[in-house]
Each structure stands twice: as C-alpha cells, then as structure tokens.
Amino acid sequence: MSGIAFFDFDGTITRKDTLWEVIRFHKGSMALYGGMVRLLPALISFKLKRLAAQEMKERVLRYYFGNISQQEFEEGCRRFCTDRLPLLVRDQALAAIRQHQQQGNQVVVVSASAEDWVAPWCEVQHISCIASRLEITDQRLTGNLQGNNCNGPEKVNRIRQQFNLHDYTEIYAYGDSEGDRPMLALAQHPEYKPFRK
C-alpha cells in the first residue's frame, strides 16, 4: 500500500492562472487585453459572485477560442507546454512532485484548467491528470466545457471516479484556493498555499 498526492495546478504548481497565459500564447498580448475589455462586465459580475465560475470560464473560452479547429488548438497547447509553461512552474512544487515520486507515491494533478494544456505537461512529468474537458463539435471548439468545471466538489467527484481512496495508506493534497478545499478535506496531509517561500 502506498500514498497518493493530489496537486492543484493554477497557483499551486504554477505562479499564474494558466488560462490567461494560454490565451496570450495563442493570440498575443494585444488580443488578450482587448478581449478582457470586452469581457469586463462579465468579469466584474464574476468577482461580485453574480456569475458562476463555469459560466465565466465558458464566456472567456467562447470569446477567444470558439470555433477554432481542435487540431490547431491542441498543437498550440502542446507548444505552450514546452515553450512557456516551464517558466511558470514553481521550483518547490516540482521538487515536491519529485519527492513523492521517489517515495513511491502516485501523483495526480487535479485542475479546473483544460486538460489540453495540463495533460501534456503531466505526461512529461510521468504523473496523472484530471482536468476540465472542452466540448468539441465537428472537430472545432465550441467554447463550452464538456460536463462540469473541475473545481470545488467536482474535484472530489472526479477523484473518486478514478481512485478508490481506501487503497492508499496516506493521502496528500496541495491547493491554493477555496475551490481546492473539498479536495484538501480528503487528505490526512493537506497543504494550503504551499511552495511560496
């Protein structure tokens, strides 16, 4: 029997929210900021908790990536994972992942970000990935999510779908936001806002 370690991605492993960085990488800074101006009313509603996280995310995705071809998007995300993402990763987070691997613990990233730009990075690190999925119709992104945003209680739902937690002697969890608290509550060893020293 071994342990399992669940890591949030944005803000825990990375120093920034990767959604905006992916948009910047695909579209450039001018398009990023221009879109943010257009989306400002929705962003304000989201900050005031009048707009759900999933609805906000889908509005952002529809604006920047609605109707982009799946192939073009996936290729861009893979380039993002090799060219840009390593600069955003916290060294201490990577060290913690390595330590868990050396101890024989399974490591799983559980992220509200889309698996398109989280899974390729996880593959390189030899770790599992649970993340939000983007809806594809006729090989194009609709800008909607397929199913629920992988955040809050949905993180726990997705973890329980894939893992029988009774199989593990020790459960570790790392997160940095309110959306990670249900996942942190699963663990004997929860760490909130780690890797910041």
Side-chain angles (χ1 to χ4, degrees):
M1 296 280 276
S2 62
I4 189 163
F6 299 109
F7 284 76
D8 167 57
F9 192 64
D10 294 278
T12 301
I13 291 176
T14 67
R15 287 189 298 276
K16 293 183 175 181
D17 187 314
T18 54
L19 172 58
W20 300 108
E21 295 303 311
V22 164
I23 293 166
R24 188 197 304 273
F25 187 82
H26 275 264
K27 303 284 185 178
S29 292
M30 289 294 289
L32 169 66
Y33 296 129
M36 284 174 120
V37 171
R38 292 219 171 161
L39 291 162
L40 196 57
L43 288 163
I44 290 168
S45 294
F46 172 65
K47 285 288 182 199
L48 295 173
K49 295 188 164 46
R50 291 178 189 155
L51 196 62
Q54 177 149 349
E55 173 60 24
M56 183 69 242
K57 182 177 284 185
E58 288 179 334
R59 287 193 191 190
V60 170
L61 288 166
R62 281 197 297 269
Y63 180 85
Y64 291 104
F65 296 122
N67 211 33
I68 189 176
S69 86
Q70 182 182 5
Q71 184 180 356
E72 181 189 342
F73 183 71
E74 287 177 354
E75 285 172 0
C77 287
R78 278 196 290 273
R79 282 201 311 277
F80 172 80
C81 284
T82 53
D83 298 355
R84 176 84 183 111
L85 189 53
L87 306 174
L88 303 175
V89 171
R90 296 178 191 271
D91 293 338
Q92 287 174 289
L94 203 51
I97 288 169
R98 296 279 177 268
Q99 191 173 2
H100 278 295
Q101 288 173 319
Q102 286 160 8
Q103 291 167 349
N105 297 329
Q106 184 158 2
V107 179
V108 187
V109 165
V110 188
S111 177
S113 276
E115 56 189 15
D116 303 75
W117 68 83
V118 181
W121 183 84
C122 290
E123 282 170 28
V124 172
Q125 310 304 327
H126 307 291
I127 56 184
S128 304
C129 175
I130 297 174
S132 295
R133 298 187 185 104
L134 301 183
E135 184 181 76
I136 307 291
T137 302
D138 298 328
Q139 297 173 333
R140 291 187 172 275
L141 273 67
T142 64
N144 295 326
L145 297 183
Q146 180 189 324
N148 291 329
N149 190 32
C150 186
N151 195 29
E154 183 63 16
K155 287 197 173 193
V156 174
N157 295 340
R158 297 280 294 277
I159 287 168
R160 291 194 185 281
Q161 282 169 15
Q162 292 199 29
F163 300 98
N164 180 357
L165 297 180
H166 298 298
D167 290 345
Y168 299 92
T169 46
E170 302 289 331
I171 301 172
Y172 304 82
Y174 303 86
D176 78 308
S177 70
E178 290 304 308
D180 296 320
R181 290 204 184 273
M183 179 176 80
L184 293 170
L186 293 175
Q188 298 108 321
H189 309 283
E191 288 204 36
Y192 186 67
K193 294 195 172 177
F195 319 130
R196 281 166 158 69
K197 293 181 183 64

